[in-house]
């Protein structure tokens, strides 16, 4: 116990240095940034893919889009996110001859990856909405797209909020791999502290605590959103 | 008004409708009855292409709805539909349920007209003969206000104006179905299709829905009704179609149909339900 206390004291002294806690805060900001923007991109892509997959396959264009989405989902669910990050940063960027900072690449890859997962979540959500809702919308003369946008997807989103929260939490934790391409996140910030003192015990403990607090805050946020969206339900 | 010509519909290998030909005239109240699984609901759902016919035509206002090239959404505005399970939009309040379609249609019409006018204007710079612009006589706000007023008129009519801002999940079945009916009315349809509108209701709520339907009938609305309510069929219907095994077995006025059924299958059916 005494070891821990001593190490804590030295960590405490270290973290009060503006350069050090500044880096931790920046790491925290990057982690939040990647997860939040990644999720938003993911929801947009996921919703589009889900709609493409549930659309009736009368037309050729619908079938082609469906195939493309299948390949997309297969790729992003079938390879580890680290691999996707490395491919994105070390393969796609040089091939396309673009320069981009690691953080941007991370956000995009996280968005694309989460899009694949959200698409399946969203598909389940859309299928959980009674077909009668679609029929009622179509019977009033609304187009398929309008019916989806105004009636089905809002109800689907309400049904999948808990699962979507899960996905968000996963994203937050997955951000710990972004240091593979040189981006600064929570993990990297705490590891840097450890590296500078050759003492890893307390920094890593603190890192775990920060992650837990983050996740608890998100859980609370999801609960609030859910409560608001459940207004039209009887089960409150 | 609606000409159905040799309508056939199969689900996979199951042939549900085997060639139905009939005409629904303006102001008629056609009641479709028949045993379950006979294809009467499928027939009704083919009329506004909720189910795409396998073959045959449905001519509504001179256009064949079965043709995939026809913009079905434009025609569906004029064909109201009421479902067995009400199908009110659960994520919208009662008022929003009624206003949604008129507002959306009105606003998108304005948007389309503006877009078209824009291109006509550009074209007119190069044309000798100027082309006319589409007149836009309403703003978006006016469309919304009109839809709201109309919705309240309809809600007052069924005595549910105080429920305008509640969600459908808090209403009784009869209330839901009456709101579903006025939601269809809000589009000023030329014909309304009723798909077993009272079958999912508690017995004591059937009356209020049937009363509303009778009112509509008295006002001259063209109605096509699939129902098991023989009393309603006899009282309100102007023509009865008896469908069995995917074909119209008998077609007659209610009086003749109930008092003097011709086909043995009809006799058997009536002896069971009456």
């Amino acid at each position: 116990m005494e070891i821990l206390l001593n190490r804590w004291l030295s960590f405490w002294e270290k973290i009060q240095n503006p350069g050090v806690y500044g880096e931790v805060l920046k790491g925290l900001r990057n982690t939040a940034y990647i997860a939040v923007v990644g999720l938003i991109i993911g929801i947009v892509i996921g919703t589009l893919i889900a709609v493409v997959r549930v659309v009736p396959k009368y037309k050729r264009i619908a079938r082609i889009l469906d195939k493309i989405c299948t390949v997309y989902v297969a790729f992003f669910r079938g390879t580890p996110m680290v691999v996707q990050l490395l491919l994105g940063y070390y393969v796609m960027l040089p091939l396309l001859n673009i320069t981009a900072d690691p953080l941007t690449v991370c956000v995009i890859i996280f968005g694309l990856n989460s899009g694949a997962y959200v698409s399946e979540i969203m598909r389940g959500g859309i299928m959980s909405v009674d077909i009668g809702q679609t029929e009622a919308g179509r019977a009033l003369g609304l187009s398929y797209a309008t019916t989806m946008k105004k009636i089905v997807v809002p109800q689907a989103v309400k049904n999948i909020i808990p699962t979507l929260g899960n996905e968000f939490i996963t994203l937050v934790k997955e951000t710990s791999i972004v240091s593979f391409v040189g981006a600064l996140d929570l993990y990297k910030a705490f590891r840097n502290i450890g590296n500078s003192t050759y003492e890893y015990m307390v920094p890593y403990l603190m890192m775990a605590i920060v992650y837990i607090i983050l996740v608890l805050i998100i859980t609370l946020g999801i609960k609030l959103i859910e409560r608001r969206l459940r207004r039209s339900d009887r089960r409150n | 008004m609606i000409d159905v010509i040799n309508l056939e519909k199969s689900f996979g290998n199951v042939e549900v409708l085997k060639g139905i030909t009939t005409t629904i005239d303006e102001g008629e109240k056609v009641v479709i009855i028949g045993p379950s699984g006979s294809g009467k609901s499928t027939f009704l759902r083919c009329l506004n292409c909720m189910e795409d016919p396998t073959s045959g035509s449905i001519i509504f206002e001179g256009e064949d709805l079965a043709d995939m090239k026809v913009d079905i959404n434009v025609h569906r505005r004029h064909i109201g539909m009421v479902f067995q399970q009400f199908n009110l939009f659960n994520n919208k309040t009662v008022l929003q349920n009624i206003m949604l379609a008129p507002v959306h249609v009105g606003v998108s019409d304005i948007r389309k007209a503006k877009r078209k006018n824009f291109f006509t204007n550009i074209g007119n710079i190069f044309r000798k003969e100027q082309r006319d612009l589409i007149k836009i006589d309403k703003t978006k706000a006016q469309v919304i206000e009109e839809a709201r007023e109309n919705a309240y008129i309809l809600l007052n009519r069924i005595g549910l104006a105080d429920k305008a801002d509640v969600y459908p999940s808090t209403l009784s079945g009869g209330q839901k179905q009456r709101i579903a009916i006025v939601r269809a009315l809000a589009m000023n349809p030329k014909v309304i299709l009723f798909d077993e509108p009272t079958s999912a209701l508690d017995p004591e709520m059937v009356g209020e829905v049937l009363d509303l339907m009778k009112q509509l009938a008295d006002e001259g609305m063209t109605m096509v009704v699939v129902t098991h309510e023989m009393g309603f069929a006899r009282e309100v219907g102007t023509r009865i179609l008896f469908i069995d095994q995917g074909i119209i077995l008998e077609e007659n006025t209610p009086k003749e149909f109930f008092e003097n059924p011709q086909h043995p299958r009809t006799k058997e059916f009536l002896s069971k339900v009456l």
Side-chain angles (χ1 to χ4, degrees):
Chain A
M1 236 28 221
E2 208 170 307
I3 306 173
L4 200 60
L5 189 68
N6 284 338
R7 290 184 177 183
W8 165 256
L9 286 177
S10 74
F11 172 79
W12 184 242
E13 203 168 301
K14 176 104 184 142
I15 196 115
Q16 282 175 342
N17 183 339
V20 176
Y21 77 73
E23 199 180 53
V24 171
L25 284 180
K26 204 172 156 213
L28 183 65
R29 203 199 62 191
N30 283 354
T31 289
Y33 173 67
I34 294 170
V36 171
V37 181
L39 185 73
I40 292 170
I41 299 175
I43 289 175
V44 173
I45 294 178
T47 309
L48 290 177
I49 294 180
V51 170
V52 166
R53 299 197 106 180
V54 296
V55 128
K57 306 287 182 293
Y58 294 134
K59 292 186 184 148
R60 192 135 158 246
I61 178 92
R63 285 199 292 272
I64 293 170
L65 282 175
D66 188 55
K67 283 277 172 316
I68 294 174
C69 291
T70 312
V71 173
Y72 176 92
V73 173
F75 173 76
F76 279 97
R77 288 205 303 184
T79 53
M81 184 122 65
V82 184
V83 173
Q84 292 158 21
L85 264 185
L86 295 176
L87 283 180
Y89 193 69
Y90 292 110
V91 178
M92 289 314 285
L93 282 192
L95 275 184
L96 298 173
N97 210 2
I98 313 171
T99 46
D101 65 310
L103 196 62
T104 314
V105 177
C106 289
V107 166
I108 291 170
I109 295 289
F110 269 69
L112 293 177
N113 180 289
S114 118
Y117 285 94
V118 173
S119 77
E120 286 299 288
I121 298 174
M122 189 63 90
R123 195 166 66 94
I126 289 176
M127 288 195 301
S128 77
V129 177
D130 181 22
I131 184 73
Q133 298 283 313
T134 315
E135 286 184 349
R138 296 307 309 277
L140 283 166
L142 305 178
S143 67
Y144 188 86
T146 312
T147 312
M148 275 287 156
K149 197 174 83 186
K150 299 216 162 181
I151 296 153
V152 179
V153 170
Q155 292 182 52
V157 167
K158 195 172 72 179
N159 289 342
I160 63 169
I161 285 288
T163 330
L164 221 48
N166 240 348
E167 171 67 16
F168 187 41
I169 290 171
T170 310
L171 277 185
V172 168
K173 294 187 293 186
E174 285 261 327
T175 53
S176 55
I177 60 169
V178 299
S179 55
F180 269 82
V181 294
L184 177 78
D185 71 320
L186 265 184
Y187 159 70
K188 188 74 187 292
F190 279 104
R191 202 180 68 145
N192 285 346
I193 297 177
N195 279 350
S196 63
T197 57
Y198 301 108
E199 200 290 291
Y200 293 95
M201 190 188 274
V202 177
Y204 281 175
L205 258 177
M206 290 310 294
M207 177 173 73
I209 291 170
V210 173
Y211 273 119
I212 288 177
I213 291 172
L214 267 185
V215 170
L216 286 179
I217 293 172
I218 294 167
T219 314
L220 191 73
I222 295 163
K223 237 179 219 159
L224 290 177
I225 294 174
E226 217 179 322
R227 193 175 301 164
R228 213 191 106 73
L229 287 179
R230 287 249 172 253
R231 269 183 320 178
S232 60
D233 277 7
R234 262 185 296 183
R235 43 184 167 157
N236 289 315
Chain B
M1 187 177 215
I2 304 180
D3 288 308
V4 182
I5 302 163
N6 209 9
L7 175 67
E8 286 178 26
K9 173 70 188 173
S10 313
F11 293 104
N13 290 327
V14 187
E15 228 181 310
V16 183
L17 300 178
K18 300 168 187 164
I20 288 189
T21 303
T22 188
T23 299
I24 295 156
D25 289 321
E26 200 166 344
E28 259 196 311
K29 294 97 181 78
V30 179
V31 180
I32 302 166
I33 58 180
S36 49
S38 60
K40 53 193 189 315
S41 274
T42 307
F43 169 64
L44 191 79
R45 290 162 59 81
C46 279
L47 289 182
N48 67 347
C49 288
M50 292 308 285
E51 307 287 353
D52 288 311
T54 310
S55 72
S57 324
I58 294 150
I59 316 285
F60 176 70
E61 300 192 312
E63 286 205 69
D64 185 359
L65 301 188
D67 187 349
M68 290 295 259
K69 284 176 204 131
V70 169
D71 184 0
I72 186 71
N73 295 329
V74 174
H75 294 290
R76 278 189 186 145
R77 294 178 191 177
H78 306 301
I79 308 177
M81 188 164 199
V82 176
F83 300 86
Q84 183 177 355
Q85 300 295 341
F86 329 128
N87 294 343
L88 292 180
F89 306 133
N90 296 324
N91 58 331
K92 306 267 178 204
T93 63
V94 168
L95 186 66
Q96 288 167 340
N97 259 285
I98 300 172
M99 284 172 62
L100 177 69
V103 169
H104 181 80
V105 165
V107 170
S108 72
D109 277 353
I110 291 176
R111 202 181 314 132
K112 268 180 211 156
K114 274 188 183 155
R115 195 184 314 149
K116 214 161 192 184
N117 283 351
F118 175 74
F119 287 111
T120 317
N121 269 329
I122 291 179
N124 277 350
I125 301 172
F126 305 102
R127 284 189 200 105
K128 273 185 188 152
E129 286 171 42
Q130 299 284 296
R131 272 194 211 160
D132 292 336
L133 298 178
I134 306 169
K135 257 196 196 135
I136 302 173
D137 48 5
K138 280 185 216 164
T139 63
K140 196 175 152 185
Q142 275 170 317
V143 169
I144 295 173
E145 200 39 53
E146 246 171 58
R148 185 190 305 278
E149 273 169 31
N150 192 26
Y152 270 110
I153 291 172
L154 289 167
L155 278 175
N156 275 320
R157 170 181 180 164
I158 56 171
L160 289 176
D162 56 325
K163 300 279 186 195
D165 294 316
V166 306
Y167 286 95
S169 57
T170 57
L171 300 172
S172 74
Q175 291 172 330
K176 281 186 200 174
Q177 192 61 298
R178 283 185 292 149
I179 288 165
I181 292 173
V182 296
R183 177 177 69 177
L185 282 179
M187 295 296 285
N188 291 320
K190 293 178 176 140
V191 50
I192 303 188
L193 315 176
F194 293 86
D195 189 0
E196 305 200 20
T198 56
S199 297
L201 294 175
D202 289 344
E204 57 174 338
M205 292 171 181
V206 170
E208 58 188 76
V209 172
L210 288 183
D211 281 345
L212 178 58
M213 287 168 66
K214 274 176 209 161
Q215 280 178 32
L216 294 184
D218 291 341
E219 286 161 20
M221 176 63 77
T222 313
M223 295 160 72
V224 185
V225 188
V226 171
T227 188
H228 295 293
E229 295 288 332
M230 295 303 153
F232 177 83
R234 198 193 298 240
E235 194 182 332
V236 179
T238 56
R239 185 154 55 107
I240 310 272
L241 301 183
F242 181 75
I243 294 187
D244 191 23
Q245 308 279 338
I247 50 169
I248 298 178
L249 274 189
E250 197 164 340
E251 183 173 356
N252 220 330
T253 60
K255 195 169 173 347
E256 276 295 300
F257 180 84
F258 285 107
E259 283 168 14
N260 194 9
Q262 301 297 319
H263 200 280
R265 185 74 190 86
T266 317
K267 286 178 190 162
E268 188 197 334
F269 178 79
L270 286 178
S271 70
K272 278 183 197 158
V273 298
L274 288 180

